[in-house]
Amino acid sequence: MATAQALGVDIASLLGTRPSLPVSGDVKEAYAIVDSAAANETSAAHLAAEALTQEPDFPEDSAERNQQATTEFDNLTVTLENYMSYKDYLDVTTKSGTNPYKLAQDELASKNATAESRTKMIKRLRDLLLAKHVKGVA
């Protein structure tokens, strides 16, 4: 405290309670310093308040992208189920010895199914139904 007083430092200004005034000098200069300090405090307070009220950026989450992929997968699943409604045309044994309806059931039950595997199965069923000239298949 003695050193601060010897150097002419205002302890109150160090603690942030009020700006220090020069010990000697023009009164106008003293008022200018006080006004400048008050303006800086107001500006800093304004910026802090503005920072608190602005909505921070929220980066895209990989979960959101996964949600979009899940939606595509779900849409493909619904499409596959719709093609499976043509059971009378699909539940047959083809020349190659496969049963398209059972393969589609396996695709639906598969825990390893992907959007790509669903798409391939849908294309295969669609192509078979179109080859059989089934009405209502597009």
Side-chain angles (χ1 to χ4, degrees):
M1 298 265 299
T3 305
Q5 190 174 14
L7 294 174
V9 175
D10 185 3
I11 299 299
S13 70
L14 291 175
L15 300 174
T17 57
R18 64 183 172 106
S20 66
L21 296 175
V23 177
S24 63
D26 189 42
V27 175
K28 282 186 177 181
E29 186 180 335
Y31 281 119
I33 291 171
V34 171
D35 288 343
S36 174
N40 286 340
E41 287 178 15
T42 303
S43 176
H46 176 70
L47 289 174
E50 187 176 305
L52 289 175
T53 59
Q54 286 182 350
E55 192 67 34
D57 187 25
F58 190 71
E60 183 180 337
D61 187 10
S62 61
E64 188 174 317
R65 278 183 266 135
N66 289 342
Q67 177 64 32
Q68 291 172 349
T70 301
T71 302
E72 178 186 358
F73 184 79
D74 292 341
N75 290 339
L76 291 169
T77 300
V78 169
T79 302
L80 180 57
E81 289 170 342
N82 287 339
Y83 276 111
M84 289 180 66
S85 68
Y86 294 98
K87 182 177 180 180
D88 295 340
Y89 299 100
L90 297 173
D91 196 8
V92 295
T93 303
T94 62
K95 291 178 185 175
S96 62
T98 59
N99 183 315
Y101 188 79
K102 289 184 180 179
L103 289 176
Q105 283 180 321
D106 291 344
E107 172 64 25
L108 282 175
S110 174
K111 293 184 180 190
N112 297 325
T114 63
E116 184 179 348
S117 67
R118 288 278 200 267
T119 302
K120 286 180 181 178
M121 182 55 69
I122 290 167
K123 182 181 179 338
R124 290 174 67 192
L125 293 178
R126 181 179 176 276
D127 290 347
L128 178 66
L129 292 170
L130 288 175
K132 289 186 167 197
H133 304 288
V134 177
K135 292 186 180 196
V137 177

